[in-house]
Amino acid sequence: MELLVASAIGLLSAAGVYLLLRARTFPVVLGLALLSYAVNLFVFVSGGIRVGRPPIVGAAAGMTDPLPQALVLTAIVIGFATTAFLVVLALRLRRETGSDHVDAGGDAP
Amino acid sequence: MTDGRLLALLALLPFAGACLPALLHRRSRTTIAWASAAAPAAALAILVFLGRRVFAGEVVEASRPWIAALGLDVAFRLDGLSMLFAGLILVIGLLVILYARYYLAARDPFGRFHALLLVFMGAMTGVALSDNLLLTVVFWETTSLASCLLIGYWSDRADARAGARMALVVTGLGGLALLAGAILVAQIAGTFTISELNGMGDAIRAHPHYDIALVLILLGAFTKSAQWPFHFWLPNAMAAPTPVSAYLHSATMVKAGIFLLARLYPALAGSDTWFWIVGGTGLATFVFGAWAAVFRHDLKSLLAYSTISHLGLITLLLGLSSPLAAVAAVFHLINHATFKASLFMAAGIVDHETGTRDLRRLGGLWKQMPVTGLLALTAAAAMAGVPFLNGFLSKEMLFAETLALPDVGFARWIVPIVATAAGMFGVAYSTRFVHDVFFNGPPRTYDRTPHEPPRWMRIPVELLVLGCVAVGIAPALTIGPLLRVASGAVLGGPVPQFDLALWHGFNAPLAMSLVAFALGIALYFRMQRQGRLHAAQPGAISGHRVFDVIERSVVRFAGWSADRSTAAGFQRQVVILVLVALAAGVAPFAVGIPDRLVVAYAPMTPVAIAGWLVLAVATALVVATHRQRFTALILTGAAGLMVAATFAFFSAPDLALTQLVVEAATVLLMLLALPHLPASTPLESSSVRRLRDAAIAVGVGVAMAGAAWWMLTRGGASISAEQAALSVPAGGGANVVNVILVDFRGFDTYGEITVLVIAALGIVAMLGRTSAGRRVDRAGPAAASDPSAEPAGQGASTGTARSPQVSAHSPSSVPPDDDRDPEMLTLLIRGFAPVALLVAGWLFLRGHQLPGGGFVAGLVTAVVLSLLPLTSGRSAAGDNPRTDLHRTAAAGLAVAGATGLGAWAFGRPFMTSAHGHVDLPLVGDVEWASAALFDLGVFLVVVGTVMLMLDGLGRLRTERN
């Protein structure tokens, strides 16, 4: 199981980084989304991978580590905010320069 | 109220008073001046009231811990020295407030000026009264900041900005050195309390770290008090309004360094290091400043160099380390503040009346402004050290002390000679100040006709000059008692006998004075007659030059490195960033993997394998199809759903819920954005480039997979066992994740929802400008010549440019738009929405005990509420910005913040949950309420921000129709 999780994280990050290196804004946004999946999963599984043990007090089987989950939960929401910010930035760039190339605004004053 | 509380009140009053002028900034200048005078006047009354105990030989103290772990206490102590200095700050501050009422022009922001002035006054009073060295540093830095803002008050002037920056850099760096020195001294002595430090002088001086600590503290004091070679910021600070120069840069702030030397005198003074560094610097500054002042053509610049010189004089006196010299230092500190503040004010009046401060253009003003002239003449005479004025007395004391030096080699005879020379230059520039402005030929013509200033503008000058004369004629009566208690506090022991009489007989000091007078006046008139003085070009000032070179090099280096890293473009930056991160991540493993496998593998299940396959295929397809944007987006959403499934599978129901809703919201957001971007990505990168990127990507992937594998197979103890154990008893909730979010780490969450709000506001700001630009573009050719803007799947609707104004006015009359209002979806969502909102409420309510909570409930609510209007092709509020959403988000922050603050009402630290702290019969209910209130804030923030984002993008779509 560890192998599956680790390879999934690797795959998501590789895809994310590749898209992050593209020249247009839209793939960059997608790449960032994939990369944040990878990072969120990574942080999440740092608490160990356990099946059927949610971090609710009172469960008979014991519980998994709740702390990484709390960290990741806010990361997901913040990730949404930054994605939205990036998308709107891309729109604005396109509006100002007529292009969606990542360096389109580079020479603007 | 006890005296201790009164003292604390005195220290804090000016800060509180700073709010008044800021709030009243629209009122008349007289109102603002009265308002800003209120706090210093009250503080002065308290000071006088408490002063009775100081004169009786007692001290008033007030102390309470602030950050106990650091040794930082809010400790104030009123003894002779702090009373003197605080009194100086408050009295001259009040006079400056009165003066500034008439000095500043009507267009100057008056409220800001007074608010800053009072902040400065509070910081300065804090420096004077603080009995904790760390607290002193805090106030010290505040004075630097306030000074910078006041120098740059006329922020449209380049010289003001440059002067402000220079002052901040020099005094700020000195402040850092002071902080280091303070910490070192505290480590030597084991306390930050100044009164205790002063009792341990011998132990401190004997410590091997004494020299380093002393030099660091002196760096702070010398930069602040403009000692050579750090003096150059002070003349540049003259770009400030003259009231500021009179107050900060002659009477008070520049004295802070000297005050600190006097304050720590028992702890630090008396060693050879002290004598040579403090005395040497003081002497050099004394003569250098006096010499340089003679050749300044700007009235304020002359005064600035003269100030530098007098600060050097006081430093020299402290450096001499004899009790009588210390008395003289305190005496001159008072005298200089009175005559120099009045001279600055007189210079301001001259500037105000003639429009110039250039000594080469001024002259003959005596006829037009006799009263101001007389005042300036008297104050300048005090500066030069003429008998019957206060400056004479302290200067005589200085000369006497230079002659009384112990036998320390060449210093024995060089100090008196240099001091006499400095006195000579002092006479020369004082003569110049009066002669060049008020005499030196007939009246000149200026842009305006000079006359006496308003009555009340001259009053502060008159009072100060009156002080000069009174002290000069009857020193023992006027200043004697104050000088005695202040000197006693400096010395930390018995005060030596000193005689404040005017006439000591014809002795050596008097001879030195006479020589200085004769030579000084001769020097001035000789140079003046030959015309050399007005032709003199101020030479290169070394310190200034060095500062400029350093500043320019730093700026150039910053620009160079920024250019280097950004010129290559965004992609290059990302490559660098990724490679550095990769290297940093791999480096520890290169040293060697420390241990072997310690946990057993979890078994692979068919469900997991199937999920992995779906995720892998979706991810791979995203990359493969990323140039077809719509497809890639849907596939990314699919990958996100699989991530949510992974969370669910590995016992994280909260994460799964959140990820699920966020995924929906993200896809929705991107779908709204897609029409405004090209439908596909052109193939731009060369195959080599793509291969290189793929190599980097694979490298990162392998590294991440390796790190994850390593982490998963090592095991290790969790750090959250305590949180899990305390969740129910301390947090009152069974859902540990939620308890951590809203209770244990509530402050983190508070920061994070603040970030959410900031991001949403940024989006709103950017969209606002975008839609404005769009309206302009629609009329212009830009939109027409932009065929790539044609959105996918919108071809049919582009011809029907429906005005948003029309739809806003009569929404019901808009014909159904078949293209974008799929009947099925509309019906589905309208029917589904109430149920979804119910689910959101349910999620919110159970959040503390079971999976759910404010985040996910807010997301569900926001998505549903945003979908509703979108299905009808319009945003919910037509074309007007949704102010109610701003309010929702703000209210959320307020609720969360207020819940945190609520703990204060029960005497608990910020963000303490109510559980266990409120002793009510229904304890269970109360603890539940506290955390749930915070969660309600989170909920409101999420609803407000997410809807703001979606609504903004949706509005964009409406306008495009």
Coordinates of all heavy atoms in Angstrom, one line a residue, chain B residues 841-910:
Chain B
G841 N -26.0 23.1 6.8 CA -26.3 23.4 8.2 C -26.1 22.2 9.1 O -25.5 22.4 10.2
W842 N -26.4 21.1 8.6 CA -26.2 19.9 9.3 C -24.7 19.6 9.5 O -24.3 19.3 10.6 CB -26.9 18.7 8.6 CG -26.7 17.4 9.1 CD1 -27.2 16.8 10.2 CD2 -25.9 16.3 8.5 NE1 -26.8 15.6 10.4 CE2 -26.0 15.2 9.4 CE3 -25.1 16.3 7.3 CZ2 -25.3 14.0 9.1 CZ3 -24.5 15.1 7.0 CH2 -24.6 14.0 7.9
L843 N -24.0 19.8 8.5 CA -22.5 19.6 8.5 C -21.9 20.6 9.6 O -21.0 20.2 10.3 CB -21.9 19.9 7.2 CG -21.9 18.8 6.2 CD1 -21.4 19.3 4.8 CD2 -21.2 17.6 6.6
F844 N -22.4 21.8 9.6 CA -21.9 22.8 10.5 C -22.1 22.4 11.9 O -21.3 22.4 12.8 CB -22.5 24.2 10.2 CG -22.1 25.2 11.2 CD1 -20.8 25.8 11.1 CD2 -22.9 25.6 12.2 CE1 -20.4 26.7 12.0 CE2 -22.5 26.6 13.1 CZ -21.2 27.1 13.0
L845 N -23.4 22.0 12.2 CA -23.8 21.7 13.6 C -23.1 20.5 14.2 O -22.7 20.5 15.3 CB -25.3 21.5 13.6 CG -26.1 22.8 13.5 CD1 -27.6 22.5 13.5 CD2 -25.7 23.8 14.6
R846 N -22.8 19.5 13.3 CA -22.2 18.3 13.9 C -20.7 18.4 13.9 O -20.0 17.5 14.4 CB -22.6 17.1 13.0 CG -21.9 17.0 11.7 CD -22.7 16.2 10.7 NE -22.7 14.8 11.0 CZ -21.9 13.9 10.3 NH1 -21.1 14.3 9.4 NH2 -21.9 12.6 10.6
G847 N -20.2 19.5 13.3 CA -18.7 19.6 13.0 C -17.8 19.3 14.2 O -16.8 18.7 14.1
H848 N -18.3 19.7 15.4 CA -17.4 19.6 16.5 C -17.3 18.1 17.0 O -16.3 17.7 17.6 CB -17.9 20.5 17.7 CG -16.8 21.0 18.5 ND1 -15.7 21.6 17.9 CD2 -16.6 21.1 19.8 CE1 -14.8 22.0 18.9 NE2 -15.4 21.7 20.1
Q849 N -18.3 17.3 16.8 CA -18.3 16.0 17.3 C -18.0 15.0 16.1 O -17.4 13.9 16.4 CB -19.7 15.6 17.9 CG -20.1 16.6 19.0 CD -19.2 16.7 20.2 OE1 -18.4 15.7 20.4 NE2 -19.2 17.8 20.9
L850 N -18.5 15.2 14.9 CA -18.4 14.3 13.8 C -17.9 15.0 12.6 O -17.8 16.3 12.6 CB -19.8 13.7 13.5 CG -20.4 12.8 14.6 CD1 -21.9 12.6 14.4 CD2 -19.6 11.5 14.6
P851 N -17.5 14.3 11.6 CA -17.0 15.0 10.4 C -17.9 16.1 9.9 O -19.1 16.0 9.9 CB -16.9 13.9 9.4 CG -16.6 12.7 10.2 CD -17.4 12.9 11.4
G852 N -17.3 17.3 9.6 CA -18.1 18.4 9.2 C -17.4 19.7 9.7 O -16.1 19.7 9.7
G853 N -18.1 20.8 10.0 CA -17.4 21.9 10.5 C -17.6 23.1 9.6 O -18.2 23.1 8.5
G854 N -17.1 24.3 10.0 CA -17.3 25.5 9.4 C -16.8 25.6 8.0 O -17.4 26.1 7.1
F855 N -15.6 25.0 7.7 CA -15.0 25.1 6.4 C -15.9 24.4 5.4 O -16.3 25.1 4.4 CB -13.6 24.4 6.4 CG -12.5 25.4 6.8 CD1 -11.9 25.1 8.0 CD2 -12.1 26.4 6.0 CE1 -10.8 26.0 8.4 CE2 -11.1 27.3 6.4 CZ -10.5 27.1 7.6
V856 N -16.2 23.2 5.6 CA -16.9 22.4 4.6 C -18.4 23.0 4.5 O -18.9 23.1 3.4 CB -16.8 20.9 4.9 CG1 -17.5 20.6 6.2 CG2 -17.4 20.1 3.7
A857 N -19.0 23.3 5.6 CA -20.3 23.8 5.5 C -20.4 25.1 4.7 O -21.3 25.4 3.9 CB -20.9 24.1 7.0
G858 N -19.4 26.0 5.0 CA -19.3 27.2 4.2 C -19.1 27.0 2.8 O -19.7 27.7 1.9
L859 N -18.2 26.0 2.4 CA -18.0 25.7 1.0 C -19.3 25.3 0.3 O -19.6 25.7 -0.8 CB -16.9 24.7 0.9 CG -15.5 25.2 1.1 CD1 -14.5 24.0 1.3 CD2 -15.0 26.0 -0.2
V860 N -20.0 24.4 1.0 CA -21.2 23.9 0.4 C -22.2 25.0 0.2 O -22.8 25.2 -0.9 CB -21.9 22.8 1.3 CG1 -23.3 22.4 0.8 CG2 -21.0 21.5 1.3
T861 N -22.4 25.8 1.2 CA -23.3 26.9 1.1 C -22.9 27.9 0.0 O -23.8 28.3 -0.9 CB -23.3 27.7 2.4 OG1 -23.5 26.8 3.5 CG2 -24.4 28.8 2.4
A862 N -21.6 28.2 -0.1 CA -21.2 29.1 -1.1 C -21.4 28.6 -2.5 O -21.9 29.3 -3.4 CB -19.7 29.5 -0.9
V863 N -21.1 27.3 -2.7 CA -21.2 26.8 -4.1 C -22.7 26.7 -4.5 O -23.0 27.2 -5.6 CB -20.6 25.3 -4.1 CG1 -21.0 24.6 -5.4 CG2 -19.1 25.4 -3.9
V864 N -23.6 26.3 -3.6 CA -25.0 26.3 -3.9 C -25.5 27.7 -4.2 O -26.2 27.9 -5.2 CB -25.8 25.6 -2.8 CG1 -27.2 25.7 -3.0 CG2 -25.4 24.1 -2.6
L865 N -25.2 28.6 -3.3 CA -25.8 29.9 -3.5 C -25.2 30.6 -4.8 O -25.9 31.4 -5.4 CB -25.4 30.8 -2.3 CG -26.2 30.5 -1.0 CD1 -25.8 31.5 0.1 CD2 -27.7 30.5 -1.3
S866 N -24.0 30.2 -5.1 CA -23.4 30.8 -6.4 C -24.0 30.1 -7.6 O -24.2 30.8 -8.6 CB -21.9 30.6 -6.4 OG -21.3 31.2 -5.3
L867 N -24.3 28.8 -7.5 CA -24.9 28.1 -8.7 C -26.3 28.7 -9.0 O -26.6 28.8 -10.2 CB -25.0 26.7 -8.4 CG -23.7 25.8 -8.7 CD1 -24.0 24.4 -8.3 CD2 -23.5 25.9 -10.2
L868 N -27.0 29.0 -8.0 CA -28.4 29.5 -8.2 C -28.5 30.6 -9.3 O -29.1 30.4 -10.3 CB -29.0 29.9 -6.9 CG -29.8 28.8 -6.1 CD1 -30.4 29.4 -4.9 CD2 -30.9 28.2 -7.0
P869 N -27.9 31.7 -9.0 CA -28.0 32.8 -10.0 C -27.3 32.5 -11.3 O -27.7 32.9 -12.4 CB -27.4 34.0 -9.3 CG -26.5 33.4 -8.3 CD -27.1 32.1 -7.8
L870 N -26.2 31.7 -11.2 CA -25.5 31.4 -12.5 C -26.3 30.7 -13.5 O -26.2 30.9 -14.7 CB -24.2 30.6 -12.1 CG -23.1 31.3 -11.5 CD1 -22.0 30.4 -11.1 CD2 -22.6 32.4 -12.5
T871 N -27.2 29.9 -13.0 CA -28.0 29.1 -13.9 C -29.0 30.0 -14.7 O -29.5 29.7 -15.7 CB -28.9 28.1 -13.2 OG1 -29.6 28.7 -12.2 CG2 -28.0 27.0 -12.6
S872 N -29.2 31.2 -14.2 CA -30.1 32.1 -14.9 C -29.3 33.1 -15.8 O -29.9 34.1 -16.3 CB -31.0 32.8 -14.0 OG -30.3 33.6 -13.1
G873 N -28.0 32.9 -15.8 CA -27.2 33.7 -16.7 C -26.9 35.0 -16.1 O -26.3 35.9 -16.8
R874 N -27.2 35.3 -14.9 CA -26.8 36.5 -14.3 C -26.2 36.3 -12.9 O -26.5 35.2 -12.3 CB -28.1 37.4 -14.1 CG -28.6 38.1 -15.3 CD -29.8 38.9 -15.0 NE -30.8 38.1 -14.4 CZ -31.7 37.4 -15.1 NH1 -31.6 37.4 -16.4 NH2 -32.6 36.8 -14.5
S875 N -25.5 37.3 -12.4 CA -25.1 37.1 -11.1 C -26.2 37.6 -10.2 O -27.2 38.2 -10.6 CB -23.8 38.0 -10.8 OG -24.2 39.3 -10.8
A876 N -26.1 37.2 -8.9 CA -27.3 37.4 -8.0 C -27.7 38.9 -7.9 O -28.9 39.2 -7.8 CB -26.9 36.8 -6.7
A877 N -26.8 39.8 -7.9 CA -27.1 41.2 -7.7 C -26.9 42.0 -8.9 O -26.6 43.2 -8.9 CB -26.2 41.7 -6.6
G878 N -27.2 41.4 -10.1 CA -27.0 42.2 -11.3 C -25.6 42.7 -11.5 O -24.7 41.9 -11.2
D879 N -25.4 43.9 -11.8 CA -24.1 44.4 -12.1 C -23.4 45.1 -10.9 O -22.3 45.6 -11.1 CB -24.2 45.3 -13.3 CG -24.5 44.5 -14.5 OD1 -23.7 43.6 -14.8 OD2 -25.5 44.8 -15.2
N880 N -24.2 45.3 -9.9 CA -23.6 46.0 -8.8 C -22.7 45.0 -8.0 O -23.0 43.9 -7.8 CB -24.6 46.5 -7.9 CG -25.5 47.6 -8.6 OD1 -24.9 48.3 -9.4 ND2 -26.8 47.5 -8.4
P881 N -21.5 45.5 -7.5 CA -20.7 44.7 -6.7 C -21.5 44.2 -5.4 O -22.3 44.9 -4.9 CB -19.5 45.6 -6.3 CG -19.6 46.7 -7.3 CD -21.0 46.8 -7.7
R882 N -21.2 43.0 -5.1 CA -21.9 42.4 -3.9 C -21.3 42.9 -2.6 O -20.5 42.3 -2.0 CB -21.9 40.9 -4.0 CG -22.6 40.3 -5.2 CD -24.1 40.3 -5.0 NE -24.4 39.7 -3.8 CZ -24.9 38.4 -3.7 NH1 -24.9 37.7 -4.8 NH2 -25.2 37.9 -2.6
T883 N -21.8 44.0 -2.1 CA -21.2 44.5 -0.9 C -21.6 43.6 0.3 O -20.9 43.6 1.3 CB -21.7 46.0 -0.6 OG1 -23.1 46.0 -0.8 CG2 -21.1 47.0 -1.5
D884 N -22.8 43.0 0.1 CA -23.2 42.1 1.3 C -22.2 41.0 1.5 O -22.0 40.5 2.6 CB -24.6 41.6 1.0 CG -24.7 40.9 -0.3 OD1 -23.9 41.2 -1.2 OD2 -25.5 39.9 -0.4
L885 N -21.5 40.6 0.4 CA -20.5 39.5 0.5 C -19.3 40.0 1.3 O -18.8 39.3 2.1 CB -20.2 38.9 -0.8 CG -21.3 38.2 -1.6 CD1 -20.8 37.8 -2.9 CD2 -21.8 37.1 -0.8
H886 N -18.9 41.2 1.0 CA -17.8 41.8 1.7 C -18.1 41.7 3.2 O -17.3 41.4 4.0 CB -17.6 43.2 1.3 CG -17.0 43.4 0.0 ND1 -17.8 43.3 -1.2 CD2 -15.7 43.7 -0.5 CE1 -17.0 43.6 -2.2 NE2 -15.8 43.8 -1.8
R887 N -19.4 42.2 3.5 CA -19.8 42.3 4.8 C -19.8 40.9 5.5 O -19.5 40.7 6.7 CB -21.2 42.9 4.9 CG -21.1 44.4 4.6 CD -22.3 45.1 5.3 NE -22.3 46.5 4.7 CZ -23.1 46.8 3.7 NH1 -24.0 46.0 3.2 NH2 -23.1 48.1 3.2
T888 N -20.3 39.9 4.7 CA -20.4 38.5 5.3 C -19.0 38.1 5.7 O -18.8 37.6 6.9 CB -20.9 37.5 4.3 OG1 -22.2 38.1 3.8 CG2 -21.2 36.2 4.9
A889 N -18.0 38.3 4.8 CA -16.6 37.9 5.1 C -16.1 38.6 6.3 O -15.5 38.1 7.2 CB -15.7 38.0 3.9
A890 N -16.3 39.9 6.3 CA -15.8 40.8 7.4 C -16.5 40.4 8.7 O -15.8 40.3 9.8 CB -16.1 42.2 7.1
A891 N -17.8 40.1 8.7 CA -18.5 39.7 9.9 C -17.9 38.4 10.4 O -17.7 38.2 11.6 CB -20.0 39.5 9.6
G892 N -17.6 37.5 9.5 CA -16.9 36.2 9.9 C -15.7 36.5 10.7 O -15.4 35.9 11.8
L893 N -14.8 37.3 10.1 CA -13.5 37.6 10.8 C -13.8 38.2 12.1 O -13.2 37.9 13.1 CB -12.7 38.6 9.9 CG -11.7 38.0 9.0 CD1 -10.9 39.1 8.4 CD2 -10.8 37.0 9.7
A894 N -14.8 39.1 12.2 CA -15.1 39.8 13.4 C -15.6 38.8 14.5 O -15.2 38.9 15.6 CB -16.2 40.9 13.2
V895 N -16.5 37.9 14.0 CA -17.0 36.9 15.0 C -15.9 36.0 15.5 O -15.7 35.8 16.7 CB -18.1 36.1 14.3 CG1 -18.4 34.8 15.2 CG2 -19.3 36.9 14.1
A896 N -15.0 35.6 14.6 CA -13.9 34.7 15.1 C -13.0 35.5 16.0 O -12.6 35.0 17.0 CB -13.2 34.2 13.9
G897 N -12.7 36.7 15.6 CA -11.8 37.5 16.4 C -12.4 37.8 17.8 O -11.7 37.7 18.8
A898 N -13.7 38.1 17.8 CA -14.3 38.5 19.0 C -14.4 37.3 19.9 O -14.3 37.4 21.2 CB -15.8 39.0 18.8
T899 N -14.6 36.1 19.4 CA -14.6 34.9 20.2 C -13.2 34.7 20.9 O -13.1 34.4 22.0 CB -14.9 33.6 19.3 OG1 -16.0 33.9 18.5 CG2 -15.1 32.4 20.2
G900 N -12.2 35.0 20.1 CA -10.8 34.9 20.6 C -10.6 35.9 21.7 O -10.1 35.6 22.8
L901 N -11.1 37.2 21.4 CA -10.9 38.2 22.4 C -11.8 38.0 23.7 O -11.4 38.4 24.8 CB -11.3 39.6 21.8 CG -10.4 40.1 20.8 CD1 -11.0 41.4 20.2 CD2 -9.0 40.4 21.3
G902 N -12.9 37.3 23.5 CA -13.8 37.0 24.6 C -13.1 36.4 25.8 O -13.4 36.6 26.9
A903 N -12.0 35.6 25.5 CA -11.3 35.0 26.5 C -10.7 36.0 27.5 O -10.5 35.7 28.7 CB -10.2 34.1 26.0
W904 N -10.4 37.2 26.9 CA -9.7 38.2 27.8 C -10.7 38.6 28.9 O -10.3 39.0 30.0 CB -9.4 39.4 26.9 CG -8.1 39.2 26.1 CD1 -7.3 38.2 26.2 CD2 -7.5 40.1 25.2 NE1 -6.3 38.3 25.3 CE2 -6.4 39.5 24.7 CE3 -7.9 41.4 24.8 CZ2 -5.5 40.2 23.8 CZ3 -7.0 42.0 23.9 CH2 -5.9 41.4 23.4
A905 N -12.0 38.6 28.6 CA -13.0 39.0 29.6 C -12.9 38.1 30.8 O -13.3 38.6 31.9 CB -14.4 39.0 29.0
F906 N -12.4 36.9 30.6 CA -12.2 36.0 31.7 C -10.8 35.9 32.2 O -10.4 35.0 32.8 CB -12.8 34.6 31.3 CG -14.2 34.6 30.8 CD1 -14.5 34.7 29.5 CD2 -15.2 34.7 31.8 CE1 -15.8 34.7 29.1 CE2 -16.5 34.7 31.3 CZ -16.8 34.7 30.0
G907 N -10.0 36.9 31.8 CA -8.6 37.0 32.2 C -7.8 35.9 31.6 O -6.8 35.5 32.2
R908 N -8.1 35.3 30.5 CA -7.4 34.3 29.9 C -6.7 34.8 28.6 O -7.1 35.8 28.0 CB -8.3 33.1 29.5 CG -8.9 32.4 30.7 CD -7.9 31.6 31.3 NE -8.3 31.2 32.7 CZ -7.6 30.3 33.4 NH1 -6.5 29.8 33.0 NH2 -8.1 30.0 34.6
P909 N -5.6 34.1 28.2 CA -5.0 34.6 26.9 C -5.9 34.5 25.7 O -6.9 33.8 25.7 CB -3.8 33.6 26.8 CG -3.6 33.0 28.1 CD -4.9 33.0 28.8
F910 N -5.6 35.3 24.7 CA -6.3 35.3 23.4 C -6.5 33.9 22.9 O -5.6 33.1 23.0 CB -5.4 36.1 22.4 CG -6.1 36.4 21.1 CD1 -7.3 37.0 21.1 CD2 -5.5 36.0 19.9 CE1 -7.9 37.3 19.8 CE2 -6.1 36.2 18.7 CZ -7.3 36.9 18.7

